[in-house]
Amino acid sequence: MKHKKFKRVTFDNKKRSFHLEYTSGLKIECPYSALGIHEKVTDAAPDSEVGEHSFYFVLESGKKDYVPYDQPLHIVQVPEYAKEQTLYEMTKTINEFIRKEKIPKRELARRLNTSMSQLSRLLDTANYKKELSRLIQIAAMLNYEFKWKFKKAV
């Protein structure tokens, strides 16, 4: 994921939201309410102690808190982030199915008509450049059914 560092963090107590800019150029607005903030914010900036992978904010009461880079992406449902999280969860689940069913990876690669290195890329949770259909195909080979499920975002 390319949106891992904050470049700029500003806040607007009137609109009750943070204006976030990532080093990738992505700009989003994150409402205070989604972070459980009920007071005015007096300060906010990228947190240099963790290499700008989070930002801090200070409330009127003096309380200081931190927000990791991915929390705002989840809150506002950035499509790229949602896609990567879906692929991560699906790949993790497929790997659990493979362990549970005790299917040798060589056998799986043979059934998929692919190489072991390609299968490794498909089963790598950090690889987001893969076809969703291939994961569904692996699940089907293991006798698992895939269904989409949508729910109201928080």
Side-chain angles (χ1 to χ4, degrees):
M1 166 157 298
K2 60 184 177 182
H3 314 301
K4 289 189 174 185
K5 287 183 162 190
F6 291 103
K7 180 179 181 180
R8 187 173 299 116
V9 177
T10 58
F11 56 93
D12 184 337
N13 283 315
K14 192 171 187 171
K15 287 186 177 180
R16 302 192 46 74
S17 66
F18 290 103
H19 301 279
L20 308 171
E21 184 178 348
Y22 289 83
T23 55
S24 64
L26 177 69
K27 295 178 183 181
I28 60 175
E29 191 172 317
C30 184
Y32 289 179
S33 60
L35 298 169
I37 299 172
H38 304 291
E39 300 178 46
K40 285 186 176 182
V41 173
T42 59
D43 189 23
D47 185 7
S48 59
E49 289 184 20
V50 293
E52 286 80 32
H53 289 286
S54 69
F55 75 89
Y56 72 86
F57 62 89
V58 180
L59 300 175
E60 203 170 38
S61 64
K63 181 183 176 220
K64 185 175 187 177
D65 209 347
Y66 299 86
V67 178
Y69 75 89
D70 59 343
Q71 191 172 357
L73 298 172
H74 176 75
I75 289 168
V76 301
Q77 288 293 293
V78 172
E80 181 184 353
Y81 176 77
K83 174 190 167 206
E84 288 182 4
Q85 285 304 106
T86 300
L87 283 171
Y88 172 82
E89 290 298 327
M90 284 184 70
T91 305
K92 187 173 130 189
T93 303
I94 295 287
N95 280 307
E96 290 168 9
F97 292 161
I98 291 168
R99 278 191 288 282
K100 183 179 175 185
E101 300 298 326
K102 297 179 180 157
I103 295 234
K105 290 186 181 173
R106 281 207 187 283
E107 174 62 16
L108 203 52
R110 186 189 65 74
R111 287 189 203 173
L112 286 167
N113 197 27
T114 192
S115 66
M116 284 295 292
S117 60
Q118 179 59 27
L119 180 63
S120 292
R121 284 190 288 275
L122 281 169
L123 299 176
D124 180 0
T125 55
N127 175 16
Y128 302 114
K129 295 180 181 178
K130 55 186 154 196
E131 294 283 329
L132 180 63
S133 61
R134 293 295 268 172
L135 295 176
I136 294 169
Q137 186 180 14
I138 294 170
M141 286 180 175
L142 299 170
N143 292 321
Y144 287 90
E145 187 178 342
F146 175 76
K147 292 188 176 190
W148 283 102
K149 179 183 174 185
F150 288 94
K151 64 178 186 174
K152 183 88 170 149
V154 183

